[in-house]
Amino acid sequence: MKLLSVVLLLLPLSICLAEVVKDFTKSCPGFFATPNDVVSPPTGFTGTQYKQICQTRNNQAEFATLYDTENRIPVYSAYRFTGQMKCNRLDKWHTEPELEAGMQDQNQKTCLVNQAENGDYKKSGYDRGHLAPVFLATSQNCADATFTLTNAAPQAAMFNRNTWMRTEKNMNDTLTKDCLNVGWRAFVVTGVVPGTDTLKNEGRVRIPSHFWMAFCCLDNNNKPKHSGAYIGQNNDNDCPVYRWSVQDLEPELTELYRKQFHNIPDFHFTFFAGECYTETETNELQIIENKKRKMSQNERNKDCQSNKRQKL
Ligand SMILES: *[C@@H]1O[C@H](CO)[C@@H](O)[C@H](O)[C@H]1NC(C)=O
């Protein structure tokens, strides 16, 4: 009788828990592109602070996250894009008991050591910016699954609500028209580069310097057909986001991450195992910017990093 009530108590909680796993490419494999049959999460992140999470709701994995328990932000979230569907935002954020020693469920009142909590963001001036975006969620379960703090990083409000949202829309258009509509499968990975500051200067949650996104589209034989990437600066200067080729963004990100990981000189960032460079990567410069505020070149140079692609 006692056992039964314990089981019943645990049941409604356990159906909405994410799973921390040893190898998410095996435990929840459907979210990583497999160009030329190579399973390909971004590489370079080794160390015990990184936890692999299968983001699960109602017993179904919706996407995968690599979480940095030291900086208390994700490194990236990976998902398959299958088309955009309307679903309601519940705006109810949860945390992951499995990341904490001895924590049974998310209603238990304990101080979270290995992850961010709502209190860290409160009055910090930063949004809880989604990595796997709720905007592109393909089902209500999936939308709910994105509202975990393990899928969020501090994002400047202007950047989140203007340019980055327009970037997500731009990618939705590209993936829908250029990949799904011609019968290819689309995979996306979204991540952040840790910056120098933390929320409220408390040292608990690191503020990213950049947000980035990359996609790889495959045909039925796992041949890479289309790819592209975006990167934007995470501040309120309203800097534009640039569309890059996957091949160009890899060395750029390697450089940015190396500044963070000065202890890992051979850090090398790759997207899609270096197997998704495609002829249809865009070669024209594409800029996504806030429609309300067009920037002059002078302003851009002052507030924002110059775009290296222009010099190529
Ligand atoms: C996503 O892209 C498709 C194709 O361009 C478009 O029909 C749809 O309205 C887009 N969704 C949003 C929310 O922009």
Side-chain angles (χ1 to χ4, degrees):
M1 189 62 201
K2 205 170 177 194
L3 185 68
L4 186 68
S5 58
V6 168
V7 168
L8 287 177
L9 246 169
L10 289 176
L11 211 58
L13 295 167
S14 61
I15 54 173
C16 62
L17 292 184
E19 274 183 276
V20 178
V21 298
K22 270 232 165 64
D23 183 354
F24 54 13
T25 65
K26 295 213 168 71
S27 297
C28 46
F31 310 119
F32 300 96
T34 51
N36 301 320
D37 298 323
V38 180
V39 187
S40 58
T43 52
F45 305 94
T46 50
T48 50
Q49 80 261 37
Y50 299 111
K51 301 293 179 204
Q52 303 186 16
I53 301 176
C54 293
Q55 303 280 13
T56 305
R57 287 296 166 267
N58 297 329
N59 291 322
Q60 196 182 326
E62 300 288 354
F63 60 99
T65 298
L66 185 69
Y67 192 73
D68 178 346
T69 56
E70 255 172 45
N71 289 317
R72 299 184 184 86
I73 49 174
V75 181
Y76 59 79
S77 288
Y79 62 100
R80 180 170 168 192
F81 177 75
T82 51
Q84 201 247 343
M85 239 177 70
K86 275 218 163 88
C87 48
N88 301 318
R89 298 172 68 110
L90 296 181
D91 280 296
K92 192 169 176 294
W93 289 86
H94 36 250
T95 49
E96 299 309 341
E98 283 202 24
L99 285 174
E100 307 292 331
M103 190 176 170
Q104 301 302 320
D105 67 65
Q106 53 181 338
N107 299 320
Q108 194 181 335
K109 286 264 175 283
T110 41
C111 291
L112 301 182
V113 175
N114 296 322
Q115 63 192 308
E117 51 191 331
N118 286 323
D120 291 310
Y121 284 85
K122 214 172 180 179
K123 294 192 180 143
S124 71
Y126 280 85
D127 285 356
R128 292 162 291 193
H130 283 88
L131 268 66
V134 61
F135 159 73
L136 296 179
T138 50
S139 68
Q140 189 64 51
N141 260 349
C142 184
D144 295 347
T146 65
F147 277 91
T148 167
L149 285 168
T150 55
N151 180 47
Q155 192 170 23
M158 288 262 272
F159 175 55
N160 181 23
R161 297 169 199 186
N162 273 306
T163 341
W164 198 244
M165 201 179 85
R166 290 167 50 73
T167 307
E168 289 175 350
K169 285 193 174 167
N170 179 291
M171 193 178 69
N172 163 63
D173 281 336
T174 300
L175 293 182
T176 308
K177 285 191 199 133
D178 302 340
C179 295
L180 300 188
N181 288 357
V182 288
W184 298 333
R185 287 163 299 140
F187 296 89
V188 181
V189 54
T190 307
V192 298
V193 181
T196 47
D197 299 329
T198 56
L199 285 184
K200 300 187 272 194
N201 297 319
E202 282 173 357
R204 257 185 58 82
V205 180
R206 192 153 296 277
I207 301 168
S209 59
H210 296 78
F211 277 63
W212 53 257
M213 246 177 340
F215 64 84
C216 173
C217 299
L218 303 172
D219 70 8
N220 285 335
N221 299 316
N222 283 330
K223 290 281 162 276
K225 289 295 188 183
H226 192 26
S227 59
Y230 307 83
I231 188 165
Q233 280 172 266
N234 183 31
N235 56 39
D236 273 324
N237 296 343
D238 230 349
C239 300
V241 169
Y242 294 99
R243 165 92 177 259
W244 296 55
S245 73
V246 161
Q247 194 158 14
D248 289 337
L249 192 52
E250 281 180 347
E252 173 76 4
L253 277 175
T254 296
E255 214 176 289
L256 288 171
Y257 279 110
R258 269 191 193 162
K259 278 186 206 153
Q260 269 299 313
F261 308 133
H262 19 77
N263 49 340
I264 314 176
D266 56 352
F267 176 88
H268 204 82
F269 187 91
T270 60
F271 282 122
F272 312 121
E275 299 278 346
C276 204
Y277 308 138
T278 60
E279 283 162 25
T280 51
E281 283 183 284
T282 182
N283 286 317
E284 294 151 43
L285 181 69
Q286 258 193 38
I287 307 177
I288 299 155
E289 54 193 347
N290 186 351
K291 262 196 176 146
K292 290 191 198 116
R293 180 183 172 232
K294 279 253 191 298
M295 246 187 278
S296 70
Q297 197 60 45
N298 268 353
E299 268 184 293
R300 205 167 269 162
N301 290 344
K302 190 163 101 323
D303 292 337
C304 304
Q305 282 162 9
S306 64
N307 168 46
K308 290 199 181 143
R309 280 215 51 181
Q310 270 171 317
K311 289 189 224 134
L312 293 177

